[in-house]
């Protein structure tokens, strides 16, 4: 089953549950962290037992981040014999706009925060989708700064809130091929000033 319409918090869990119950693989393009966290909590172990896969965040925005890091680490291992310890993703330009489904998903996530304010701590944790694994403190991505390595100003990128979690989850799910001390941040490139 491929699901492409949110809000997943409102409609997604019964579909994931049905897929797991019926030994059916499930894939979506959600960026709704509360939905993903609940899906993992409720169905991850059952999916393993039923030999089916639940794969979240397969939309345009998360795929370049997640696969980009995986491909970069593969090249690093081939060239240097080990993964790089830090990856800085910099978004230089982007086209597109929020769809009605994306807007509904954002409203659903904000609604979840209203009914459960403690969930904010989950949203700010880059390792919240990593089955209890807690890696090192990551580079702050919530304010602009001058990046000395790339010699440019960078600003928060709105999709980093989900993409960083997906990159760290992939690392954890694959047994930490990037290392347990891996650092990842994703920012919007603003140039020299």
């Amino acid at each position: 089953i491929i699901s492409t319409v949110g809000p997943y918090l409102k409609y997604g869990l019964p579909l994931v549950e049905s897929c797991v119950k019926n030994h059916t693989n499930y894939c979506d393009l959600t960026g709704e962290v509360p939905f993903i966290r609940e899906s993992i909590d409720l169905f991850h172990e059952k999916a393993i037992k039923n030999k089916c896969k639940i794969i979240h965040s397969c939309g345009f925005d998360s795929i370049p981040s997640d696969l980009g890091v995986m491909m970069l680490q593969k090249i690093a291992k081939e060239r240097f014999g080990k993964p790089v310890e830090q990856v800085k993703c910099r978004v230089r330009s982007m086209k597109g706009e929020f769809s009605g489904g994306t807007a509904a998903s954002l409203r659903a996530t904000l609604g979840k925060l209203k009914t459960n304010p403690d969930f904010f701590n989950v949203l700010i944790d880059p390792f919240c989708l990593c089955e209890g694994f807690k890696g090192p403190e990551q580079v702050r991505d919530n304010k602009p700064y001058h990046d000395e390595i790339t010699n440019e100003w960078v600003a928060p990128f709105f999709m980093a809130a989900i993409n960083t979690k997906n990159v760290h989850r992939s690392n954890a799910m694959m047994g930490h091929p990037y290392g347990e001390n891996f650092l990842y941040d994703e920012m919007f490139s603003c140039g020299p000033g």
Side-chain angles (χ1 to χ4, degrees):
I1 298 289
I2 299 172
S3 179
T4 62
V5 179
Y8 291 89
L9 274 168
K10 189 172 183 179
Y11 303 112
L13 289 175
L15 180 57
V16 175
E17 180 178 33
S18 179
C19 286
V20 171
K21 181 180 176 182
N22 291 289
H23 305 260
T24 302
N25 294 329
Y26 169 90
C27 178
D28 67 33
L29 49 68
T30 188
E32 296 176 43
V33 175
F35 165 70
I36 297 170
R37 181 70 261 162
E38 287 185 46
S39 176
I40 292 167
D41 292 343
L42 294 170
F43 306 117
H44 179 75
E45 293 301 322
K46 291 175 188 172
I48 291 171
K49 181 181 172 191
N50 288 355
K51 296 184 170 104
C52 59
K53 297 190 181 347
I54 302 169
I55 305 172
H56 299 293
S57 300
C58 290
F60 159 73
D61 194 67
S62 295
I63 293 293
S65 302
D66 210 8
L67 291 182
V69 170
M70 186 173 73
M71 291 167 56
L72 179 68
Q73 293 290 31
K74 181 181 179 207
I75 291 168
K77 287 178 186 176
E78 290 168 1
R79 289 189 185 170
F80 310 116
K82 63 180 184 175
V84 295
E85 296 174 0
Q86 181 175 13
V87 171
K88 293 174 171 276
C89 176
R90 298 296 180 254
V91 179
R92 298 208 181 278
S93 68
M94 190 170 169
K95 291 182 181 178
E97 53 191 58
F98 274 31
S99 68
T102 300
S105 290
L106 179 59
R107 283 192 301 274
T109 299
L110 294 174
K112 178 79 170 179
L113 283 171
K114 281 183 183 177
T115 61
N116 185 357
D118 291 337
F119 202 77
F120 180 75
N121 292 325
V122 173
L123 290 177
I124 63 172
D125 178 2
F127 300 100
C128 72
L129 303 178
C130 295
E131 302 301 310
F133 172 78
K134 295 294 177 194
E137 185 160 339
Q138 300 291 298
V139 176
R140 287 282 178 221
D141 62 359
N142 62 344
K143 62 183 178 181
Y145 69 91
H146 187 265
D147 188 328
E148 299 298 327
I149 294 174
T150 59
N151 195 27
E152 65 184 339
W153 282 91
V154 295
F157 178 57
F158 66 95
M159 291 305 296
I162 183 61
N163 295 341
T164 56
K165 292 165 181 57
N166 286 329
V167 167
H168 286 298
R169 178 165 173 78
S170 291
N171 186 35
M173 295 289 292
M174 294 185 295
H176 297 101
Y178 315 155
E180 292 189 5
N181 292 317
F182 176 65
L183 299 172
Y184 177 78
D185 71 291
E186 191 170 294
M187 301 287 281
F188 191 78
S189 174
C190 298

